[in-house]
Amino acid sequence: MDILSIGGLILGFGSLLTAFIIEKGNPAKLLQISAAMIVFGGTIAAVLVSFPMSQIKTAVKHFKLVFMDKKIDFASVVEQLVQLSDRARKEGLLALEQEIPNIQNPLLKKGLGLVVDGIEGEVIRDILDREVYLAEDELKEAAEVFEAAGGYAPTMGIIGTVMGLISVLSNLTNPDELGPAIAVAFVATLYGVSSANLIWLNFGKKIKTKAKQERMLNEIIVEGLLSIQAGENPRILREKIGGILKEAKQQQAQAGEAASAPIGG
């Protein structure tokens, strides 16, 4: 399980609820069925209208990535590629055919099969790059659905609040009930904003982050296989992969700095 996702949701909603109680709020007032129907039902409906069924199914399929921590062991993959390279130089590429059944990673397994079959390097790169692109694009499509939900939810919250206020203001015969009724109407806005910023947008971001990690691993595999196919020294292979990892980490650091920089700064 991805402890960060679970812990973050518990901390986020727990902090909101605790702060509300500290301010003398009644937690029972936050449980509004009609507001939940408008916000969550409206958000899901907007998403269904916005995307084709295939993309909705993709989002449902990869939803588990938010809560499942699929650890990517870069070091293990690097060592596996180095060992394959070393054996290829000593025994020839055909000797690697015996290793194919023992490989778990689907991209590495497919690519090694192409190498053993004697396919040209450029053709191998084209085939594997296409596989890498499709895998990353599928995860991005899933993330896009959740990010769209994060955009719709606050608007649905406002709609719910406006509907509640219309109901309240259309019946002003009892002024003593006006304040509590207005407070209840604003629960929809709370649902919309909190669900967008604690659930939907974060789900999309988490899937995109894991997509980047998966792409980095796949790029390492592609470069490693091409190095093996070219008969390069295992030390050269290790240097190439080290360069990819270093470049990827620098790009991630620059992206983080850009995201945290003030507007206009």
Side-chain angles (χ1 to χ4, degrees), residues 238-262:
R238 192 185 294 273
E239 289 294 325
K240 279 186 176 182
I241 292 174
I244 294 173
L245 283 172
K246 184 177 180 181
E247 182 180 357
K249 289 178 180 179
Q250 289 176 346
Q251 290 177 352
Q252 289 180 347
Q254 291 173 357
E257 292 175 358
S260 61

mmCIF file with all atom_site columns, all heavy atoms in Angstrom, residues 238-262:
data_model
loop_
_atom_site.group_PDB
_atom_site.id
_atom_site.type_symbol
_atom_site.label_atom_id
_atom_site.label_alt_id
_atom_site.label_comp_id
_atom_site.label_asym_id
_atom_site.label_entity_id
_atom_site.label_seq_id
_atom_site.pdbx_PDB_ins_code
_atom_site.Cartn_x
_atom_site.Cartn_y
_atom_site.Cartn_z
_atom_site.occupancy
_atom_site.B_iso_or_equiv
_atom_site.pdbx_formal_charge
_atom_site.auth_seq_id
_atom_site.auth_comp_id
_atom_site.auth_asym_id
_atom_site.auth_atom_id
_atom_site.pdbx_PDB_model_num
ATOM 1   N N   . ARG A 1 238 ? 26.824 0.823  -18.219 1.00 0.00 ? 238 ARG A N   1
ATOM 2   C CA  . ARG A 1 238 ? 26.549 1.373  -16.887 1.00 0.00 ? 238 ARG A CA  1
ATOM 3   C C   . ARG A 1 238 ? 26.672 2.899  -16.881 1.00 0.00 ? 238 ARG A C   1
ATOM 4   O O   . ARG A 1 238 ? 25.880 3.602  -16.242 1.00 0.00 ? 238 ARG A O   1
ATOM 5   C CB  . ARG A 1 238 ? 27.501 0.759  -15.859 1.00 0.00 ? 238 ARG A CB  1
ATOM 6   C CG  . ARG A 1 238 ? 27.121 1.049  -14.417 1.00 0.00 ? 238 ARG A CG  1
ATOM 7   C CD  . ARG A 1 238 ? 28.182 0.504  -13.466 1.00 0.00 ? 238 ARG A CD  1
ATOM 8   N NE  . ARG A 1 238 ? 28.243 -0.935 -13.491 1.00 0.00 ? 238 ARG A NE  1
ATOM 9   C CZ  . ARG A 1 238 ? 27.486 -1.728 -12.743 1.00 0.00 ? 238 ARG A CZ  1
ATOM 10  N NH1 . ARG A 1 238 ? 26.575 -1.183 -11.930 1.00 0.00 ? 238 ARG A NH1 1
ATOM 11  N NH2 . ARG A 1 238 ? 27.612 -3.040 -12.792 1.00 0.00 ? 238 ARG A NH2 1
ATOM 12  N N   . GLU A 1 239 ? 27.651 3.424  -17.616 1.00 0.00 ? 239 GLU A N   1
ATOM 13  C CA  . GLU A 1 239 ? 27.831 4.878  -17.700 1.00 0.00 ? 239 GLU A CA  1
ATOM 14  C C   . GLU A 1 239 ? 26.649 5.533  -18.412 1.00 0.00 ? 239 GLU A C   1
ATOM 15  O O   . GLU A 1 239 ? 26.167 6.595  -17.998 1.00 0.00 ? 239 GLU A O   1
ATOM 16  C CB  . GLU A 1 239 ? 29.133 5.202  -18.436 1.00 0.00 ? 239 GLU A CB  1
ATOM 17  C CG  . GLU A 1 239 ? 30.398 4.895  -17.660 1.00 0.00 ? 239 GLU A CG  1
ATOM 18  C CD  . GLU A 1 239 ? 30.522 5.777  -16.435 1.00 0.00 ? 239 GLU A CD  1
ATOM 19  O OE1 . GLU A 1 239 ? 30.111 6.953  -16.490 1.00 0.00 ? 239 GLU A OE1 1
ATOM 20  O OE2 . GLU A 1 239 ? 31.031 5.277  -15.408 1.00 0.00 ? 239 GLU A OE2 1
ATOM 21  N N   . LYS A 1 240 ? 26.179 4.915  -19.484 1.00 0.00 ? 240 LYS A N   1
ATOM 22  C CA  . LYS A 1 240 ? 25.030 5.460  -20.208 1.00 0.00 ? 240 LYS A CA  1
ATOM 23  C C   . LYS A 1 240 ? 23.803 5.531  -19.315 1.00 0.00 ? 240 LYS A C   1
ATOM 24  O O   . LYS A 1 240 ? 23.096 6.552  -19.249 1.00 0.00 ? 240 LYS A O   1
ATOM 25  C CB  . LYS A 1 240 ? 24.709 4.584  -21.429 1.00 0.00 ? 240 LYS A CB  1
ATOM 26  C CG  . LYS A 1 240 ? 25.578 4.830  -22.648 1.00 0.00 ? 240 LYS A CG  1
ATOM 27  C CD  . LYS A 1 240 ? 25.059 4.006  -23.805 1.00 0.00 ? 240 LYS A CD  1
ATOM 28  C CE  . LYS A 1 240 ? 25.838 4.308  -25.079 1.00 0.00 ? 240 LYS A CE  1
ATOM 29  N NZ  . LYS A 1 240 ? 25.308 3.528  -26.230 1.00 0.00 ? 240 LYS A NZ  1
ATOM 30  N N   . ILE A 1 241 ? 23.536 4.441  -18.603 1.00 0.00 ? 241 ILE A N   1
ATOM 31  C CA  . ILE A 1 241 ? 22.364 4.389  -17.731 1.00 0.00 ? 241 ILE A CA  1
ATOM 32  C C   . ILE A 1 241 ? 22.494 5.393  -16.594 1.00 0.00 ? 241 ILE A C   1
ATOM 33  O O   . ILE A 1 241 ? 21.524 6.053  -16.214 1.00 0.00 ? 241 ILE A O   1
ATOM 34  C CB  . ILE A 1 241 ? 22.180 2.958  -17.184 1.00 0.00 ? 241 ILE A CB  1
ATOM 35  C CG1 . ILE A 1 241 ? 21.799 2.023  -18.333 1.00 0.00 ? 241 ILE A CG1 1
ATOM 36  C CG2 . ILE A 1 241 ? 21.115 2.928  -16.101 1.00 0.00 ? 241 ILE A CG2 1
ATOM 37  C CD1 . ILE A 1 241 ? 21.726 0.562  -17.948 1.00 0.00 ? 241 ILE A CD1 1
ATOM 38  N N   . GLY A 1 242 ? 23.711 5.516  -16.056 1.00 0.00 ? 242 GLY A N   1
ATOM 39  C CA  . GLY A 1 242 ? 23.935 6.496  -15.000 1.00 0.00 ? 242 GLY A CA  1
ATOM 40  C C   . GLY A 1 242 ? 23.645 7.908  -15.482 1.00 0.00 ? 242 GLY A C   1
ATOM 41  O O   . GLY A 1 242 ? 23.087 8.727  -14.749 1.00 0.00 ? 242 GLY A O   1
ATOM 42  N N   . GLY A 1 243 ? 23.991 8.192  -16.737 1.00 0.00 ? 243 GLY A N   1
ATOM 43  C CA  . GLY A 1 243 ? 23.704 9.503  -17.300 1.00 0.00 ? 243 GLY A CA  1
ATOM 44  C C   . GLY A 1 243 ? 22.216 9.755  -17.437 1.00 0.00 ? 243 GLY A C   1
ATOM 45  O O   . GLY A 1 243 ? 21.720 10.861 -17.188 1.00 0.00 ? 243 GLY A O   1
ATOM 46  N N   . ILE A 1 244 ? 21.448 8.721  -17.827 1.00 0.00 ? 244 ILE A N   1
ATOM 47  C CA  . ILE A 1 244 ? 19.999 8.860  -17.948 1.00 0.00 ? 244 ILE A CA  1
ATOM 48  C C   . ILE A 1 244 ? 19.373 9.155  -16.595 1.00 0.00 ? 244 ILE A C   1
ATOM 49  O O   . ILE A 1 244 ? 18.521 10.043 -16.455 1.00 0.00 ? 244 ILE A O   1
ATOM 50  C CB  . ILE A 1 244 ? 19.383 7.580  -18.550 1.00 0.00 ? 244 ILE A CB  1
ATOM 51  C CG1 . ILE A 1 244 ? 19.855 7.394  -19.993 1.00 0.00 ? 244 ILE A CG1 1
ATOM 52  C CG2 . ILE A 1 244 ? 17.858 7.647  -18.510 1.00 0.00 ? 244 ILE A CG2 1
ATOM 53  C CD1 . ILE A 1 244 ? 19.430 6.077  -20.599 1.00 0.00 ? 244 ILE A CD1 1
ATOM 54  N N   . LEU A 1 245 ? 19.801 8.419  -15.565 1.00 0.00 ? 245 LEU A N   1
ATOM 55  C CA  . LEU A 1 245 ? 19.265 8.631  -14.223 1.00 0.00 ? 245 LEU A CA  1
ATOM 56  C C   . LEU A 1 245 ? 19.586 10.033 -13.715 1.00 0.00 ? 245 LEU A C   1
ATOM 57  O O   . LEU A 1 245 ? 18.727 10.710 -13.130 1.00 0.00 ? 245 LEU A O   1
ATOM 58  C CB  . LEU A 1 245 ? 19.845 7.586  -13.258 1.00 0.00 ? 245 LEU A CB  1
ATOM 59  C CG  . LEU A 1 245 ? 19.245 6.186  -13.347 1.00 0.00 ? 245 LEU A CG  1
ATOM 60  C CD1 . LEU A 1 245 ? 20.038 5.220  -12.482 1.00 0.00 ? 245 LEU A CD1 1
ATOM 61  C CD2 . LEU A 1 245 ? 17.791 6.191  -12.924 1.00 0.00 ? 245 LEU A CD2 1
ATOM 62  N N   . LYS A 1 246 ? 20.814 10.467 -13.944 1.00 0.00 ? 246 LYS A N   1
ATOM 63  C CA  . LYS A 1 246 ? 21.220 11.788 -13.487 1.00 0.00 ? 246 LYS A CA  1
ATOM 64  C C   . LYS A 1 246 ? 20.425 12.885 -14.183 1.00 0.00 ? 246 LYS A C   1
ATOM 65  O O   . LYS A 1 246 ? 19.952 13.838 -13.554 1.00 0.00 ? 246 LYS A O   1
ATOM 66  C CB  . LYS A 1 246 ? 22.717 11.990 -13.740 1.00 0.00 ? 246 LYS A CB  1
ATOM 67  C CG  . LYS A 1 246 ? 23.268 13.309 -13.197 1.00 0.00 ? 246 LYS A CG  1
ATOM 68  C CD  . LYS A 1 246 ? 24.764 13.395 -13.419 1.00 0.00 ? 246 LYS A CD  1
ATOM 69  C CE  . LYS A 1 246 ? 25.311 14.710 -12.868 1.00 0.00 ? 246 LYS A CE  1
ATOM 70  N NZ  . LYS A 1 246 ? 26.784 14.827 -13.087 1.00 0.00 ? 246 LYS A NZ  1
ATOM 71  N N   . GLU A 1 247 ? 20.251 12.751 -15.499 1.00 0.00 ? 247 GLU A N   1
ATOM 72  C CA  . GLU A 1 247 ? 19.495 13.744 -16.268 1.00 0.00 ? 247 GLU A CA  1
ATOM 73  C C   . GLU A 1 247 ? 18.039 13.787 -15.820 1.00 0.00 ? 247 GLU A C   1
ATOM 74  O O   . GLU A 1 247 ? 17.440 14.857 -15.684 1.00 0.00 ? 247 GLU A O   1
ATOM 75  C CB  . GLU A 1 247 ? 19.577 13.411 -17.750 1.00 0.00 ? 247 GLU A CB  1
ATOM 76  C CG  . GLU A 1 247 ? 18.862 14.425 -18.647 1.00 0.00 ? 247 GLU A CG  1
ATOM 77  C CD  . GLU A 1 247 ? 18.965 14.056 -20.121 1.00 0.00 ? 247 GLU A CD  1
ATOM 78  O OE1 . GLU A 1 247 ? 19.636 13.057 -20.431 1.00 0.00 ? 247 GLU A OE1 1
ATOM 79  O OE2 . GLU A 1 247 ? 18.375 14.772 -20.944 1.00 0.00 ? 247 GLU A OE2 1
ATOM 80  N N   . ALA A 1 248 ? 17.458 12.601 -15.564 1.00 0.00 ? 248 ALA A N   1
ATOM 81  C CA  . ALA A 1 248 ? 16.059 12.535 -15.145 1.00 0.00 ? 248 ALA A CA  1
ATOM 82  C C   . ALA A 1 248 ? 15.869 13.201 -13.788 1.00 0.00 ? 248 ALA A C   1
ATOM 83  O O   . ALA A 1 248 ? 14.899 13.924 -13.559 1.00 0.00 ? 248 ALA A O   1
ATOM 84  C CB  . ALA A 1 248 ? 15.604 11.080 -15.090 1.00 0.00 ? 248 ALA A CB  1
ATOM 85  N N   . LYS A 1 249 ? 16.810 12.974 -12.873 1.00 0.00 ? 249 LYS A N   1
ATOM 86  C CA  . LYS A 1 249 ? 16.710 13.590 -11.548 1.00 0.00 ? 249 LYS A CA  1
ATOM 87  C C   . LYS A 1 249 ? 16.840 15.105 -11.630 1.00 0.00 ? 249 LYS A C   1
ATOM 88  O O   . LYS A 1 249 ? 16.166 15.841 -10.915 1.00 0.00 ? 249 LYS A O   1
ATOM 89  C CB  . LYS A 1 249 ? 17.791 13.012 -10.627 1.00 0.00 ? 249 LYS A CB  1
ATOM 90  C CG  . LYS A 1 249 ? 17.536 11.566 -10.226 1.00 0.00 ? 249 LYS A CG  1
ATOM 91  C CD  . LYS A 1 249 ? 18.652 11.023 -9.353  1.00 0.00 ? 249 LYS A CD  1
ATOM 92  C CE  . LYS A 1 249 ? 18.374 9.576  -8.956  1.00 0.00 ? 249 LYS A CE  1
ATOM 93  N NZ  . LYS A 1 249 ? 19.469 9.017  -8.123  1.00 0.00 ? 249 LYS A NZ  1
ATOM 94  N N   . GLN A 1 250 ? 17.718 15.580 -12.524 1.00 0.00 ? 250 GLN A N   1
ATOM 95  C CA  . GLN A 1 250 ? 17.865 17.025 -12.710 1.00 0.00 ? 250 GLN A CA  1
ATOM 96  C C   . GLN A 1 250 ? 16.588 17.638 -13.264 1.00 0.00 ? 250 GLN A C   1
ATOM 97  O O   . GLN A 1 250 ? 16.162 18.714 -12.829 1.00 0.00 ? 250 GLN A O   1
ATOM 98  C CB  . GLN A 1 250 ? 19.042 17.309 -13.644 1.00 0.00 ? 250 GLN A CB  1
ATOM 99  C CG  . GLN A 1 250 ? 20.404 17.044 -13.027 1.00 0.00 ? 250 GLN A CG  1
ATOM 100 C CD  . GLN A 1 250 ? 21.534 17.248 -14.016 1.00 0.00 ? 250 GLN A CD  1
ATOM 101 O OE1 . GLN A 1 250 ? 21.312 17.346 -15.229 1.00 0.00 ? 250 GLN A OE1 1
ATOM 102 N NE2 . GLN A 1 250 ? 22.758 17.313 -13.521 1.00 0.00 ? 250 GLN A NE2 1
ATOM 103 N N   . GLN A 1 251 ? 15.956 16.959 -14.214 1.00 0.00 ? 251 GLN A N   1
ATOM 104 C CA  . GLN A 1 251 ? 14.701 17.456 -14.787 1.00 0.00 ? 251 GLN A CA  1
ATOM 105 C C   . GLN A 1 251 ? 13.596 17.490 -13.737 1.00 0.00 ? 251 GLN A C   1
ATOM 106 O O   . GLN A 1 251 ? 12.810 18.437 -13.683 1.00 0.00 ? 251 GLN A O   1
ATOM 107 C CB  . GLN A 1 251 ? 14.282 16.566 -15.959 1.00 0.00 ? 251 GLN A CB  1
ATOM 108 C CG  . GLN A 1 251 ? 15.172 16.700 -17.185 1.00 0.00 ? 251 GLN A CG  1
ATOM 109 C CD  . GLN A 1 251 ? 14.766 15.761 -18.298 1.00 0.00 ? 251 GLN A CD  1
ATOM 110 O OE1 . GLN A 1 251 ? 13.910 14.890 -18.132 1.00 0.00 ? 251 GLN A OE1 1
ATOM 111 N NE2 . GLN A 1 251 ? 15.396 15.914 -19.459 1.00 0.00 ? 251 GLN A NE2 1
ATOM 112 N N   . GLN A 1 252 ? 13.548 16.488 -12.867 1.00 0.00 ? 252 GLN A N   1
ATOM 113 C CA  . GLN A 1 252 ? 12.546 16.461 -11.808 1.00 0.00 ? 252 GLN A CA  1
ATOM 114 C C   . GLN A 1 252 ? 12.776 17.592 -10.819 1.00 0.00 ? 252 GLN A C   1
ATOM 115 O O   . GLN A 1 252 ? 11.827 18.233 -10.356 1.00 0.00 ? 252 GLN A O   1
ATOM 116 C CB  . GLN A 1 252 ? 12.569 15.116 -11.081 1.00 0.00 ? 252 GLN A CB  1
ATOM 117 C CG  . GLN A 1 252 ? 12.022 13.974 -11.907 1.00 0.00 ? 252 GLN A CG  1
ATOM 118 C CD  . GLN A 1 252 ? 12.060 12.655 -11.165 1.00 0.00 ? 252 GLN A CD  1
ATOM 119 O OE1 . GLN A 1 252 ? 12.704 12.514 -10.135 1.00 0.00 ? 252 GLN A OE1 1
ATOM 120 N NE2 . GLN A 1 252 ? 11.351 11.673 -11.684 1.00 0.00 ? 252 GLN A NE2 1
ATOM 121 N N   . ALA A 1 253 ? 14.053 17.842 -10.499 1.00 0.00 ? 253 ALA A N   1
ATOM 122 C CA  . ALA A 1 253 ? 14.371 18.920 -9.569  1.00 0.00 ? 253 ALA A CA  1
ATOM 123 C C   . ALA A 1 253 ? 14.000 20.278 -10.162 1.00 0.00 ? 253 ALA A C   1
ATOM 124 O O   . ALA A 1 253 ? 13.448 21.145 -9.479  1.00 0.00 ? 253 ALA A O   1
ATOM 125 C CB  . ALA A 1 253 ? 15.865 18.887 -9.218  1.00 0.00 ? 253 ALA A CB  1
ATOM 126 N N   . GLN A 1 254 ? 14.287 20.469 -11.460 1.00 0.00 ? 254 GLN A N   1
ATOM 127 C CA  . GLN A 1 254 ? 13.943 21.724 -12.124 1.00 0.00 ? 254 GLN A CA  1
ATOM 128 C C   . GLN A 1 254 ? 12.434 21.904 -12.200 1.00 0.00 ? 254 GLN A C   1
ATOM 129 O O   . GLN A 1 254 ? 11.921 23.012 -12.012 1.00 0.00 ? 254 GLN A O   1
ATOM 130 C CB  . GLN A 1 254 ? 14.545 21.748 -13.530 1.00 0.00 ? 254 GLN A CB  1
ATOM 131 C CG  . GLN A 1 254 ? 16.060 21.845 -13.537 1.00 0.00 ? 254 GLN A CG  1
ATOM 132 C CD  . GLN A 1 254 ? 16.645 21.687 -14.933 1.00 0.00 ? 254 GLN A CD  1
ATOM 133 O OE1 . GLN A 1 254 ? 15.939 21.445 -15.904 1.00 0.00 ? 254 GLN A OE1 1
ATOM 134 N NE2 . GLN A 1 254 ? 17.961 21.828 -15.045 1.00 0.00 ? 254 GLN A NE2 1
ATOM 135 N N   . ALA A 1 255 ? 11.703 20.808 -12.435 1.00 0.00 ? 255 ALA A N   1
ATOM 136 C CA  . ALA A 1 255 ? 10.238 20.886 -12.486 1.00 0.00 ? 255 ALA A CA  1
ATOM 137 C C   . ALA A 1 255 ? 9.680  21.256 -11.122 1.00 0.00 ? 255 ALA A C   1
ATOM 138 O O   . ALA A 1 255 ? 8.739  22.026 -11.010 1.00 0.00 ? 255 ALA A O   1
ATOM 139 C CB  . ALA A 1 255 ? 9.663  19.549 -12.948 1.00 0.00 ? 255 ALA A CB  1
ATOM 140 N N   . GLY A 1 256 ? 10.289 20.706 -10.066 1.00 0.00 ? 256 GLY A N   1
ATOM 141 C CA  . GLY A 1 256 ? 9.839  21.035 -8.711  1.00 0.00 ? 256 GLY A CA  1
ATOM 142 C C   . GLY A 1 256 ? 10.097 22.477 -8.370  1.00 0.00 ? 256 GLY A C   1
ATOM 143 O O   . GLY A 1 256 ? 9.264  23.141 -7.753  1.00 0.00 ? 256 GLY A O   1
ATOM 144 N N   . GLU A 1 257 ? 11.251 23.008 -8.779  1.00 0.00 ? 257 GLU A N   1
ATOM 145 C CA  . GLU A 1 257 ? 11.569 24.413 -8.529  1.00 0.00 ? 257 GLU A CA  1
ATOM 146 C C   . GLU A 1 257 ? 10.619 25.323 -9.284  1.00 0.00 ? 257 GLU A C   1
ATOM 147 O O   . GLU A 1 257 ? 10.169 26.342 -8.783  1.00 0.00 ? 257 GLU A O   1
ATOM 148 C CB  . GLU A 1 257 ? 13.019 24.695 -8.929  1.00 0.00 ? 257 GLU A CB  1
ATOM 149 C CG  . GLU A 1 257 ? 14.052 24.005 -8.022  1.00 0.00 ? 257 GLU A CG  1
ATOM 150 C CD  . GLU A 1 257 ? 15.472 24.217 -8.518  1.00 0.00 ? 257 GLU A CD  1
ATOM 151 O OE1 . GLU A 1 257 ? 15.630 24.864 -9.580  1.00 0.00 ? 257 GLU A OE1 1
ATOM 152 O OE2 . GLU A 1 257 ? 16.401 23.731 -7.857  1.00 0.00 ? 257 GLU A OE2 1
ATOM 153 N N   . ALA A 1 258 ? 10.302 24.953 -10.532 1.00 0.00 ? 258 ALA A N   1
ATOM 154 C CA  . ALA A 1 258 ? 9.399  25.770 -11.340 1.00 0.00 ? 258 ALA A CA  1
ATOM 155 C C   . ALA A 1 258 ? 7.994  25.799 -10.740 1.00 0.00 ? 258 ALA A C   1
ATOM 156 O O   . ALA A 1 258 ? 7.312  26.823 -10.739 1.00 0.00 ? 258 ALA A O   1
ATOM 157 C CB  . ALA A 1 258 ? 9.348  25.242 -12.776 1.00 0.00 ? 258 ALA A CB  1
ATOM 158 N N   . ALA A 1 259 ? 7.573  24.652 -10.204 1.00 0.00 ? 259 ALA A N   1
ATOM 159 C CA  . ALA A 1 259 ? 6.229  24.557 -9.625  1.00 0.00 ? 259 ALA A CA  1
ATOM 160 C C   . ALA A 1 259 ? 6.113  25.371 -8.340  1.00 0.00 ? 259 ALA A C   1
ATOM 161 O O   . ALA A 1 259 ? 5.058  25.914 -8.029  1.00 0.00 ? 259 ALA A O   1
ATOM 162 C CB  . ALA A 1 259 ? 5.876  23.099 -9.354  1.00 0.00 ? 259 ALA A CB  1
ATOM 163 N N   . SER A 1 260 ? 7.239  25.470 -7.594  1.00 0.00 ? 260 SER A N   1
ATOM 164 C CA  . SER A 1 260 ? 7.210  26.178 -6.318  1.00 0.00 ? 260 SER A CA  1
ATOM 165 C C   . SER A 1 260 ? 7.574  27.654 -6.442  1.00 0.00 ? 260 SER A C   1
ATOM 166 O O   . SER A 1 260 ? 7.460  28.412 -5.473  1.00 0.00 ? 260 SER A O   1
ATOM 167 C CB  . SER A 1 260 ? 8.175  25.501 -5.325  1.00 0.00 ? 260 SER A CB  1
ATOM 168 O OG  . SER A 1 260 ? 9.504  25.537 -5.829  1.00 0.00 ? 260 SER A OG  1
ATOM 169 N N   . ALA A 1 261 ? 8.003  28.090 -7.639  1.00 0.00 ? 261 ALA A N   1
ATOM 170 C CA  . ALA A 1 261 ? 8.399  29.479 -7.818  1.00 0.00 ? 261 ALA A CA  1
ATOM 171 C C   . ALA A 1 261 ? 7.180  30.388 -7.805  1.00 0.00 ? 261 ALA A C   1
ATOM 172 O O   . ALA A 1 261 ? 6.117  30.024 -8.313  1.00 0.00 ? 261 ALA A O   1
ATOM 173 C CB  . ALA A 1 261 ? 9.138  29.634 -9.147  1.00 0.00 ? 261 ALA A CB  1
ATOM 174 N N   . PRO A 1 262 ? 7.289  31.582 -7.198  1.00 0.00 ? 262 PRO A N   1
ATOM 175 C CA  . PRO A 1 262 ? 6.150  32.517 -7.169  1.00 0.00 ? 262 PRO A CA  1
ATOM 176 C C   . PRO A 1 262 ? 5.819  33.032 -8.558  1.00 0.00 ? 262 PRO A C   1
ATOM 177 O O   . PRO A 1 262 ? 6.691  33.120 -9.426  1.00 0.00 ? 262 PRO A O   1
ATOM 178 C CB  . PRO A 1 262 ? 6.645  33.639 -6.265  1.00 0.00 ? 262 PRO A CB  1
ATOM 179 C CG  . PRO A 1 262 ? 8.138  33.589 -6.363  1.00 0.00 ? 262 PRO A CG  1
ATOM 180 C CD  . PRO A 1 262 ? 8.468  32.131 -6.511  1.00 0.00 ? 262 PRO A CD  1
#
